Amino acid sequence: MLGASSPWADHVTLHASVRDGNIARMRELAALPIPAGGQVTLEPGVYHLMFTQLYTPLVVGDIVPLTLVFERAGRIEVMLRVLPLGGRPADDHRH
């Protein structure tokens, strides 16, 4: 994955969470390699997207459009559902 964007924020950046001893740090990534036929899960504490300079606060239940950009697949449009902090989707829906 090369990047992401959303009309809800000025910037959407890709980050990795890394441990430095007992301290968790976030590191911005220029790209996230995904092996052919493989998958990568975006989730808290591992790889995640950070929305900065939001145009409006995210509210539980909102549906947020997101464009993911891939080297070979190009631009893929997805919709995200805002969940409560620590919430998980009711179904195991993957892309």
Side-chain angles (χ1 to χ4, degrees):
M1 181 172 20
L2 301 176
S5 63
S6 174
W8 281 45
D10 269 351
H11 306 282
V12 180
T13 51
L14 179 63
H15 287 82
S17 295
V18 293
R19 301 287 288 160
D20 183 8
N22 291 333
I23 300 171
R25 301 184 188 277
M26 286 187 293
R27 180 173 52 103
E28 186 172 344
L29 302 175
L32 177 60
I34 302 173
Q39 66 181 24
V40 172
T41 301
L42 299 178
E43 61 183 311
V46 188
Y47 297 114
H48 58 277
L49 296 173
M50 183 179 294
F51 287 62
T52 54
Q53 297 178 329
L54 290 167
Y55 298 123
T56 186
L58 298 174
V59 176
V60 172
D62 282 346
I63 303 296
V64 178
L66 177 71
T67 302
L68 302 172
V69 182
F70 297 91
E71 182 177 0
R72 294 194 178 160
R75 301 169 71 84
I76 306 291
E77 305 289 329
V78 297
M79 301 300 276
L80 306 177
R81 182 179 335 129
V82 178
L83 300 174
L85 187 60
R88 297 279 184 209
D91 59 352
D92 187 19
H93 186 80
R94 296 176 189 240
H95 290 280

